[in-house]
């Protein structure tokens, strides 16, 4: 089966953020006995999204192997060498051998197990959908409150989330900083949130007004902290609901993953 | 680079976001358009011969560009070599548009950027970090700085 290996290798080495990196001992791979034995081999591992790459060394320029973290579970395991902190990636697919790995210490072992077990596309999608819903609800709450307290009838409120598919945003790759809508946000760290952001980010009334340091309601209600607390209560309520829904969703996913 | 074919084959059998018979032409010189079952599963685009159960191959959709190609087709290129184009022919403009939209949103990197964007927006509006409930607010991959790539 073919794979666009060159572009995958390029992605592995690109400076897009790695989700986890470190040295691990590995057993297995073609040409090795089916039962792991001996000291294995120490390699540099890079987790990017749902792809786990291994390299000969930290400076290695060509990935030795690729493991796709879909349809798998990550569990603690026993290594052939007793002092190693081993874990295994087990695949649901029949006939696919588990991948045995070992970290240098318990902390590294835990961090790897955590990172790998959350690496699937489905997990990422679940979190993104959840936040998408939260943002929509938060915007609606703000807009509703603004409408009821202003009673002017005119509203700049737009319920839809910003169009993340705007030009320049293609598959997570941004050819240049200038056409990266989300990339603009990175400048936000040193100044108040909402300032100097791309125009399209000012879609909701809240970001529009809060970003300028104004109250999202009538000019008389100028105490931000009061408003903040007021919104906060609603958000807490909403979040309780979301949490419950998220748990339900996750349970469903788990059910689906393991029929 | 080693990878487990059996595992990828298993992935190709998972429920698809999109699946259709499309005309497909690889990047090699002299390639001709062939009928393929094309299936989008997470960030993998699998392609099959129409009479076979196992895929011929897959494209990992990270760091790629999807462009419209006339008439009613699209192409996929990867940043590593933008000259190498995978061409796809659709039956209609509508179908073409659907595929382009689905493919542009199919990468993990796109999801990550969406996540960081939503997190930032929600935090601005509510003053609270929405990732705390998942226990992943400390993870470096979800920090704003991770956008600097």
């Amino acid at each position: 089966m073919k794979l666009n290996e060159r572009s995958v290798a390029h992605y592995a080495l690109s400076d897009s953020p790695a989700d986890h990196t470190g040295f691990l001992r590995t057993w297995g791979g073609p040409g090795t006995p089916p039962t792991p034995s001996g000291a294995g081999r120490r390699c540099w591992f890079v987790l990017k999204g749902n792809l786990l790459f291994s390299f000969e060394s930290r400076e290695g320029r060509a990935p030795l192997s690729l493991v796709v973290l879909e349809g798998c579970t990550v569990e603690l395991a026993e290594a052939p060498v007793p002092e190693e902190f081993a874990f295994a990636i087990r695949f649901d697919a029949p006939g696919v051998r588990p991948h045995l790995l070992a970290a240098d210490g318990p902390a590294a072992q835990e961090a790897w197990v955590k990172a790998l077990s959350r690496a699937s596309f489905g997990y990422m999608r679940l979190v993104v959908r959840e936040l998408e819903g939260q943002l929509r609800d938060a915007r609606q709450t703000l807009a509703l409150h603004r409408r009821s307290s202003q009673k002017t009838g005119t509203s700049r409120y737009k319920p839809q989330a910003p169009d993340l598919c705007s030009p320049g945003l293609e598959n997570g790759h941004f050819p240049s900083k200038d056409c990266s809508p989300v990339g603009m946000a990175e400048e936000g760290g040193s100044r108040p949130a909402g300032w100097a952001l791309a125009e399209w980010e000012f879609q909701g009334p809240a970001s529009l007004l809060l970003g300028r340091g104004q109250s999202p309601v009538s000019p008389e209600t100028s105490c931000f902290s009061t408003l903040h607390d007021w919104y906060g209560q609603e958000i807490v309520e909403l979040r309780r609901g979301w949490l419950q829904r998220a748990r339900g969703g996750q349970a469903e996913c788990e059910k689906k993953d393991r029929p | 680079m080693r990878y487990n074919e059996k595992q990828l084959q298993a992935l190709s059998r998972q429920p698809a976001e999109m699946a259709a018979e499309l005309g497909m032409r690889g990047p090699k010189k002299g390639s001709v358009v062939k009928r393929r079952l094309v299936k989008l599963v997470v960030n993998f685009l699998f392609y099959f011969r129409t009479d076979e159960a196992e895929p011929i191959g897959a494209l990992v959709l990270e760091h790629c560009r999807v462009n419209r190609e006339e008439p009613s087709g699209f192409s996929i290129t990867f940043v590593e070599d933008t000259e190498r184009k995978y061409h796809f022919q659709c039956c209609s403009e509508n179908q073409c548009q659907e595929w382009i939209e689905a493919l542009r949103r199919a990468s993990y990197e796109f999801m990550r950027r969406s996540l960081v964007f939503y997190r930032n927006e929600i935090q601005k509006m509510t003053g609270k970090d929405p990732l705390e409930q998942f226990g992943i607010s400390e993870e470096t991959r979800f920090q704003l700085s991770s956008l600097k790539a």
Side-chain angles (χ1 to χ4, degrees):
Chain A
M1 184 174 148
K2 286 188 254 178
L3 197 68
N4 54 333
E5 282 192 51
R6 275 199 298 173
S7 38
V8 176
H10 184 269
Y11 171 63
L13 291 160
S14 72
D15 54 6
S16 70
D19 293 311
H20 207 71
T21 56
F23 282 104
L24 292 173
R25 209 160 274 284
T26 171
W27 289 266
T32 55
T35 330
S37 62
R41 182 179 179 190
R42 205 171 135 89
C43 294
W44 177 250
F45 281 82
V46 176
L47 174 66
K48 274 196 178 189
N50 55 355
L51 309 176
L52 178 66
F53 299 96
S54 72
F55 294 87
E56 187 76 58
S57 69
R58 213 174 172 141
E59 293 75 36
R61 301 309 292 165
L64 299 173
S65 73
L66 162 69
V67 176
V68 182
L69 293 156
E70 298 291 340
C72 60
T73 49
V74 185
E75 308 163 0
L76 300 186
E78 218 163 286
V81 185
E83 67 271 23
E84 299 280 355
F85 295 87
F87 53 92
I89 306 170
R90 289 180 202 284
F91 298 95
D92 302 341
V96 181
R97 253 196 270 156
H99 209 86
L100 185 63
L101 298 160
D104 294 336
Q109 179 193 40
E110 197 195 324
W112 270 108
V113 170
K114 226 170 168 181
L116 294 174
S117 50
R118 284 172 180 163
S120 79
F121 200 85
Y123 180 84
M124 190 67 163
R125 183 155 43 196
L126 184 79
V127 178
V128 169
R129 284 192 182 154
E130 177 64 22
L131 297 200
E132 210 168 6
Q134 286 193 20
L135 181 61
R136 197 173 42 236
D137 292 351
R139 284 198 164 137
Q140 264 161 12
T141 308
L142 276 176
L144 276 174
H145 182 65
R146 180 165 168 265
R147 227 175 285 155
S148 61
S149 48
Q150 219 172 14
K151 287 174 189 150
T152 54
T154 53
S155 172
R156 268 168 289 180
Y157 170 64
K158 289 178 191 168
Q160 77 275 20
D163 181 11
L164 280 164
C165 218
S166 50
L169 183 60
E170 276 196 18
N171 235 335
H173 170 65
F174 295 85
S176 84
K177 246 186 175 178
D178 293 349
C179 45
S180 149
V182 186
M184 307 283 290
E186 78 196 37
E187 292 172 302
S190 56
R191 49 188 115 177
W195 290 76
L197 291 173
E199 204 180 301
W200 62 274
E201 281 208 76
F202 287 126
Q203 283 190 352
S207 50
L208 181 74
L209 293 162
L210 291 174
R212 290 176 188 162
Q214 290 170 12
S215 147
V217 290
S218 62
E220 299 93 74
T221 328
S222 54
C223 178
F224 177 75
S225 63
T226 314
L227 280 168
H228 183 269
D229 290 348
W230 191 87
Y231 292 136
Q233 284 168 12
E234 278 209 57
I235 300 296
V236 166
E237 270 308 301
L238 288 167
R239 181 184 283 177
R240 202 164 295 143
W242 298 324
L243 266 167
Q244 274 161 4
R245 258 181 285 145
R247 279 198 208 106
Q250 197 140 28
E252 243 167 67
C253 281
E254 277 163 13
K255 244 183 278 161
K256 225 191 300 167
D257 283 352
R258 282 178 234 116
Chain B
M1 186 173 67
R2 295 188 322 252
Y3 53 90
N4 194 318
E5 286 210 10
K6 268 192 200 157
Q7 199 226 331
L8 287 185
Q9 285 167 355
L11 184 60
S12 78
R13 289 189 288 269
Q14 292 303 303
E17 300 284 320
M18 297 275 286
E21 273 189 31
L22 303 176
M24 179 178 172
R25 176 159 60 85
K28 276 196 194 129
K29 254 193 183 159
S31 301
V32 291
V33 177
K34 286 172 190 152
R35 203 86 196 134
R36 295 284 182 246
L37 170 65
V38 182
K39 205 174 158 185
L40 175 62
V41 182
V42 295
N43 49 349
F44 281 74
L45 187 69
F46 291 98
Y47 48 98
F48 302 71
R49 284 192 188 90
T50 50
D51 57 348
E52 285 180 7
E54 302 301 348
I56 312 169
L59 303 177
V60 181
L61 297 168
E62 299 299 334
H63 284 191
C64 73
R65 298 200 123 248
V66 185
N67 286 312
R68 178 170 267 283
E69 302 278 341
E70 294 307 326
S72 47
F74 61 89
S75 66
I76 299 177
T77 52
F78 294 88
V79 278
E80 146 266 343
D81 183 357
T82 48
E83 296 300 303
R84 284 172 61 84
K85 268 189 187 181
Y86 293 83
H87 283 268
F88 297 86
Q89 287 297 321
C90 302
C91 306
S92 68
E93 289 289 312
N94 261 355
Q95 187 190 35
C96 189
Q97 200 49 43
E98 275 176 33
W99 272 97
I100 291 174
E101 273 166 30
L103 291 169
R104 281 181 179 167
R105 288 164 183 269
S107 78
Y108 203 96
E109 294 299 316
F110 179 87
M111 298 290 271
R112 192 204 305 275
R113 278 175 195 273
S114 306
L115 186 148
V116 174
F117 169 78
Y118 288 130
R119 180 192 194 185
N120 187 37
E121 285 295 291
I122 293 169
Q123 212 158 5
K124 272 196 283 179
M125 291 180 76
T126 66
K128 285 175 189 163
D129 183 355
L131 291 190
E132 265 168 26
Q133 61 175 299
F134 297 102
I136 52 176
S137 52
E138 296 304 314
E139 287 187 28
T140 45
R141 59 192 177 133
F142 301 139
Q143 309 303 321
L144 277 182
S145 56
S146 68
L147 285 168
K148 277 177 186 159

